[in-house]
Amino acid sequence: DYILNNNLINIVVPEGSLLNYAITEGKEKEALWLIENGIDINAFDGLELMTAIKKNNNIIAKKLIDEGIVINSREMNDNPLVSAIRFSNAFLVEELMKNYRDLIVAYSNEYVRNCSILDIAERTKNEKIINIVKKYLVWFIDVKINSRKFDNSCFSGLSS
């Protein structure tokens, strides 16, 4: 109540937000309270979701997804779908692919060339993750083909 009464819910702390601090410290109950009481979940470009993924906290991650957290996916390391794949979190891979189509991208930089989400999944050698990614890519491609806006450059490496 002190936080709400003194309008402190959105203060910035060294970890970013109070929410990110709560997630980092494993304080799930407090993190959920902050979300339910209106903390700005979009103040740090998805940092809280990335922290929840790294801490393997599916409850907080799902709550943030359900609340519509805005995600920065310009860089591979900022993409929560890439993190969920790398941490072999099948539940979050499915949730993110279902709810955030803009995370299904291919990356090219000085280290990778046309690296797709499927390429990243295949590197894990985790069949469950690979199958989830393929399932949503097939659905996504079907939707794009049917709407005649398909660009296959993002899907290099997609195989049956």
Side-chain angles (χ1 to χ4, degrees):
D1 287 339
Y2 179 81
I3 290 173
L4 291 177
N5 292 337
N6 291 290
N7 200 26
L8 299 173
I9 198 163
N10 288 310
I11 65 168
V12 177
V13 297
E15 292 80 6
S17 66
L18 285 178
L19 177 57
N20 200 57
Y21 171 77
I23 297 167
T24 299
E25 296 297 315
K27 298 179 181 293
E28 185 175 290
K29 182 175 146 187
E30 291 82 353
L32 289 170
W33 182 88
L34 287 164
I35 296 167
E36 290 163 3
N37 282 280
I39 194 165
D40 182 1
I41 62 171
N42 294 313
F44 291 93
D45 288 333
L47 173 67
E48 292 84 354
L49 180 57
M50 293 295 284
T51 302
I53 292 168
K54 290 174 186 169
K55 293 291 186 174
N56 199 32
N57 191 322
N58 289 351
I59 292 169
I60 299 297
K62 175 78 166 105
K63 182 73 170 169
L64 290 167
I65 292 167
D66 290 347
E67 294 291 321
I69 190 167
V70 174
I71 297 168
N72 168 10
S73 63
R74 290 181 295 270
E75 300 294 327
M76 189 183 306
N77 289 336
D78 295 331
N79 187 328
L81 178 56
V82 171
S83 289
I85 289 169
R86 287 181 175 160
F87 283 98
S88 295
N89 190 324
F91 172 77
L92 290 180
V93 169
E94 183 136 18
E95 287 298 314
L96 289 163
M97 291 197 76
K98 191 171 22 175
N99 292 291
Y100 288 93
R101 298 280 181 230
D102 58 328
L103 297 178
I104 304 170
V105 296
Y107 290 98
S108 290
N109 58 37
E110 62 270 17
Y111 305 109
V112 296
R113 183 141 183 89
N114 293 325
C115 183
S116 71
I117 293 299
L118 182 59
D119 294 329
I120 295 164
E122 287 177 338
R123 286 186 190 133
T124 69
K125 298 185 182 351
N126 181 322
E127 287 302 316
K128 187 171 186 178
I129 299 287
I130 293 166
N131 289 334
I132 291 168
V133 169
K134 283 182 177 180
K135 174 176 97 172
Y136 283 94
L137 286 179
V138 168
W139 179 88
F140 185 69
I141 290 169
D142 274 350
V143 168
K144 288 292 191 178
I145 288 173
N146 290 332
S147 68
R148 299 186 192 281
K149 295 179 185 172
F150 180 64
D151 174 8
N152 69 358
S153 64
C154 290
F155 300 102
S156 65
L158 181 60
S159 56
S160 317

